[in-house]
Amino acid sequence: MRGQQLLLLRRASFRTSTSTGQPLFRGRHPYSTTPPSTIPSNPTHPPPTAEVSPLPPPLPDVPVVAPGPGSANLYKAAAVVFGIGTGYAIANVTDESLGFFWPNPKRDATARGFSTEASVTNWSATHAVDPKKYYEPHNMEELELLVRDAHAKGQRIRPVGTALSPNGLGMDKDGMVCLSHLDKVLDIDTKTQTVTVQAGARVSQVLEALGRHGLTLQNFSSIQEQQLGGWTQVAAHGTGASLPTVEEQIVRMKLVTPASGVIELSETQDPELFGLAKVGLGALGIVSELTLKCIPQHELLERTYVVNSFKELKRDHHRLLREYRHVRYMWLPHTDSIVVVISNPYEEGVTPLPPSFQTPSIPESVKLTAVRSLLLSHPACRLSPTDAAALGFTELRDALLDLAPLDPSWVGRVNAAEANYWKASEGYRKGGSTEILGFDCGGQQWVLEVAFPIGRLPKEGEKEGGRKGLNWWGGGKGETETKDLEFVNRLRTMIREKNLPAPCPIEQRWTASSTAGMSPASSRDREEVFSWVGVIMYLPPGQDEDGREEIEKTFRRYVAEMEPLCEEFGALPHWAKIEVPKEEGARERLKARLAGRYPVAAFNIVRKGFDPKGVLGNEMVEKLFAEGGKER
């Protein structure tokens, strides 16, 4: 019996395979693309008694709710059972006894400082909510008190940042908490090259502070207004086959949990729980503080060029991933064009500049000629040449798509004009990494991004395509030479065959693997590379509600048509861009795939232990994880 239990525990053990600012209130400029606003594994050495900070007097209408009879013992037992073999157990020494750390029923609980009038919409304008209570604690004590009180009352307080996630991951109609006031950069250590920040600090704010000390973050997303807490909790990423997703920069973190108070985790302190909590989706606890690794500040030399041959792209693909720190492709549907954007660190006086670097770049107004001419040629266009000349690239694209967003023929013509724009934009530029790696993602939009493993890159001198052997979804056929490119090429073919009105771009990026169990790039193989592919459908500003609904329906059809391809390649959605399917069968298939890829059983055990009443969850979290799933 004991042997069977240990086998079960090993199977349940961890496998390693939302930014400061105010809520986004409705009503931005129609063409704006600016974001709105522990028991140790050795039970003979118990941890010290957990300290509970004194609380202010309670409000008269706030009762303190003690756990139900026997529930503490139940979860203590589950914690001990599932903790053996994972290096942690979800139990703590309290001032009462060895048991599950509920808020002490002898103490008072209260919470202050919430709004009942917040109206929050996400950056991509696809999800909106009017939460009954919207909290913005001003200091760590208020945050800890709020979480304790919410647990006592069973009040939802789903953590949200600047709501930059394109889906509704950070939203809940009952209650939300934003760390907009907890945004301090606490310490920058230039010797160890680390930065310690409160989790509400924005990425841009941290980059600015690091820049004053000659440091920067190793990798970051195209948009830099996320809070560090939410940014890392969803495994956000930039691009670079040697650069992992952003949670791998964390070396230490603090979580404020409903049932176990404040816990500190690191690479050496409860490392397996740390590996799970780094991408906890805000459901294990509210991240309050982070220490991240940094690198020296540097410039990048970037090149942009267009290829019109899949064979040519495939020929150079592995070399580009090996030789350049950052690689990004933009496939333009309904055309043969692929935009390649590559960059490497640049050092003045050391890095040679290509002769063409000195060639004056084409003025932006000239680059936009094809796009602007197509807009003005449409009989339904109401803009004058002067008005059109005042619009930038993404604004012109919005205006073009506004005319017939679901007409595949028209969208194909818009994409062809965009290909001309990128051809005119070929060339080099250099600048700080913050400037070069950020880019305009366009206006309001539906978006899906998926990640899948592509194995190890072949070393220089090896045949392009690497080894033959079992493919990654379990078949016995030889691996496709460049399966990441094959995925998008087949997707591009499917778009043509299904006559989908897919606008530009299909964006493809790469990252190294992650040690975080819930990261889409999670892998035991530290040399494994993951490809990320994003598809998009814009919501042009001139569309009425019916038009927006039709675009959503078409986008969901687009995603449904991709599903077989994603299943074949083992591609799963980015946590910040996953949309829960409305159709039950599709929803259950997605849940099964998540449970087959991630340590969902362990995640649910920890979630139930740290947040037994589900106050940090929301409808999306419940639908994806409430029933757990098979162990992998």
Side-chain angles (χ1 to χ4, degrees):
M1 180 65 179
R2 177 67 174 168
Q4 291 176 340
Q5 283 183 329
L6 290 175
L7 178 61
L8 171 65
L9 300 172
R10 291 293 178 184
R11 288 176 178 172
S13 65
F14 298 130
R15 281 145 291 206
T16 313
S17 14
T18 72
S19 337
T20 220
Q22 300 303 314
L24 313 184
F25 292 95
R26 302 186 182 101
R28 287 182 287 154
H29 185 275
Y31 288 108
S32 172
T33 58
T34 303
S37 64
T38 57
I39 275 184
S41 55
N42 183 354
T44 62
H45 295 82
T49 300
E51 296 182 359
V52 181
S53 58
L55 305 176
L59 295 178
D61 60 343
V62 179
V64 176
V65 182
S71 56
N73 291 331
L74 171 64
Y75 291 115
K76 181 180 75 173
V80 172
V81 168
F82 282 89
I84 297 173
T86 69
Y88 83 96
I90 315 167
N92 287 291
V93 176
T94 70
D95 55 355
E96 295 289 330
S97 63
L98 179 62
F100 209 76
F101 185 22
W102 296 85
N104 192 329
K106 297 180 180 179
R107 297 184 182 272
D108 295 322
T110 185
R112 296 182 173 86
F114 63 85
S115 168
T116 58
E117 298 179 355
S119 181
V120 185
T121 184
N122 66 339
W123 168 75
S124 52
T126 53
H127 296 271
V129 66
D130 298 330
K132 295 176 183 177
K133 293 184 178 181
Y134 188 89
Y135 297 89
E136 291 184 293
H138 285 75
N139 53 54
M140 290 299 177
E141 290 74 20
E142 286 186 12
L143 174 61
E144 293 170 24
L145 180 59
L146 167 62
V147 175
R148 188 178 303 158
D149 175 63
H151 173 64
K153 297 186 296 184
Q155 164 68 50
R156 277 272 173 87
I157 48 166
R158 179 66 179 158
V160 67
T162 49
L164 279 170
S165 295
N167 59 10
L169 184 64
M171 297 182 174
D172 185 75
K173 61 183 175 58
D174 290 329
M176 293 159 58
V177 57
C178 177
L179 304 190
S180 56
H181 300 297
L182 304 180
D183 63 346
K184 295 182 178 61
V185 177
L186 300 173
D187 179 65
I188 296 176
D189 190 325
T190 56
K191 291 184 179 179
T192 62
Q193 294 190 347
T194 59
V195 58
T196 300
V197 300
Q198 292 180 324
R202 287 168 292 133
V203 175
S204 58
Q205 175 188 348
V206 174
L207 290 171
E208 182 180 351
L210 287 173
R212 293 193 287 269
H213 295 266
L215 297 172
T216 189
L217 297 175
Q218 182 184 48
N219 207 358
F220 38 87
S221 311
S222 54
I223 297 173
Q224 295 157 16
E225 293 309 304
Q226 305 95 331
Q227 287 181 357
L228 267 291
W231 186 56
T232 53
Q233 282 285 283
V234 298
H237 65 96
T239 186
S242 63
L243 304 175
T245 42
V246 299
E247 77 280 351
E248 284 296 278
Q249 298 174 92
I250 305 172
V251 296
R252 185 186 65 85
M253 63 190 298
K254 286 184 179 180
L255 280 181
V256 183
T257 70
S260 292
V262 181
I263 62 173
E264 183 171 325
L265 303 169
S266 70
E267 295 171 324
T268 57
Q269 186 172 345
D270 287 324
E272 288 174 322
L273 180 55
F274 175 61
L276 191 74
K278 284 194 295 184
V279 182
L281 310 179
L284 305 184
I286 297 178
V287 180
S288 63
E289 187 177 301
L290 294 162
T291 299
L292 300 97
K293 293 176 288 191
C294 306
I295 62 171
Q297 194 175 35
H298 58 279
E299 285 194 312
L300 291 172
L301 177 63
E302 179 188 81
R303 181 190 176 194
T304 299
Y305 63 97
V306 179
V307 299
N308 293 297
S309 163
F310 177 71
K311 184 177 180 179
E312 178 185 349
L313 184 72
K314 187 174 180 178
R315 182 195 66 204
D316 293 336
H317 176 54
H318 285 143
R319 179 184 62 82
L320 294 178
L321 291 183
R322 282 195 306 266
E323 295 182 2
Y324 288 89
R325 177 177 288 187
H326 305 284
V327 178
R328 177 166 62 101
Y329 297 164
M330 291 183 287
W331 303 66
L332 310 185
H334 299 290
T335 79
D336 293 325
S337 299
I338 305 119
V339 183
V340 178
V341 184
I342 52 179
S343 61
N344 262 338
Y346 171 82
E347 187 175 349
E348 190 73 40
V350 175
T351 307
L353 290 171
S356 60
F357 182 81
Q358 304 300 332
T359 303
S361 61
I362 299 174
E364 186 71 8
S365 60
V366 177
K367 294 178 187 178
L368 291 171
T369 299
V371 181
R372 192 167 49 244
S373 297
L374 180 62
L375 175 62
L376 294 173
S377 70
H378 196 285
C381 177
R382 296 293 180 264
L383 293 177
S384 69
T386 301
D387 292 335
L391 299 179
F393 170 63
T394 57
E395 296 165 335
L396 283 168
R397 181 172 58 198
D398 263 347
L400 280 163
L401 293 174
D402 227 344
L403 297 169
L406 300 181
D407 179 352
S409 176
W410 175 249
V411 172
R413 293 182 65 188
V414 175
N415 293 355
E418 181 163 339
N420 288 330
Y421 168 80
W422 286 112
K423 185 65 179 176
S425 300
E426 289 184 324
Y428 292 85
R429 65 171 181 152
K430 66 180 178 72
S433 60
T434 304
E435 172 195 353
I436 297 295
L437 295 179
F439 57 89
D440 189 345
C441 295
Q444 298 179 359
Q445 58 196 244
W446 284 99
V447 61
L448 171 71
E449 185 177 34
V450 297
F452 57 94
I454 64 170
R456 298 184 179 189
L457 293 180
K459 294 182 172 58
E460 187 174 3
E462 289 183 357
K463 180 181 178 182
E464 290 294 318
R467 307 177 304 279
K468 298 286 185 180
L470 290 178
N471 58 38
W472 72 101
W473 62 92
K477 299 179 180 179
E479 291 182 335
T480 306
E481 285 189 351
T482 49
K483 56 193 175 191
D484 44 355
L485 301 189
E486 296 292 342
F487 178 92
V488 188
N489 196 42
R490 286 175 57 183
L491 173 60
R492 187 168 61 167
T493 299
M494 182 271 288
I495 289 170
R496 285 173 173 162
E497 291 176 347
K498 302 293 183 180
N499 203 26
L500 293 170
C504 299
I506 299 171
E507 185 178 59
Q508 187 168 30
R509 294 181 281 177
W510 292 264
T511 67
S513 62
S514 170
T515 60
M518 295 294 288
S519 171
S522 173
S523 175
R524 285 195 180 105
D525 186 349
R526 305 309 302 135
E527 295 185 44
E528 187 162 32
V529 175
F530 286 74
S531 181
W532 300 71
V533 176
V535 298
I536 198 166
M537 195 160 279
Y538 300 97
L539 291 164
Q543 298 298 302
D544 58 18
E545 287 303 311
D546 289 341
R548 293 170 72 91
E549 286 182 13
E550 288 303 313
I551 292 172
E552 178 185 352
K553 289 178 182 178
T554 305
F555 177 75
R556 289 188 178 272
R557 178 192 162 208
Y558 189 173
V559 171
E561 296 287 2
M562 283 180 61
E563 184 179 353
L565 189 63
C566 291
E567 289 181 351
E568 179 182 341
F569 279 72
L572 285 174
H574 185 332
W575 291 117
K577 297 172 183 177
I578 190 171
E579 295 289 347
V580 179
K582 294 182 178 180
E583 193 268 321
E584 184 177 358
R587 187 163 60 247
E588 291 306 311
R589 288 194 300 272
L590 174 60
K591 287 180 62 177
R593 292 178 61 217
L594 295 176
R597 174 72 174 88
Y598 299 114
V600 170
F603 182 79
N604 277 336
I605 289 293
V606 177
R607 179 172 162 246
K608 192 66 174 178
F610 286 155
D611 184 19
K613 298 182 182 180
V615 302
L616 300 179
N618 64 358
E619 185 177 0
M620 175 178 287
V621 170
E622 294 302 327
K623 284 183 176 179
L624 294 178
F625 300 112
E627 298 177 4
K630 69 176 183 179
E631 298 173 1
R632 61 184 175 125

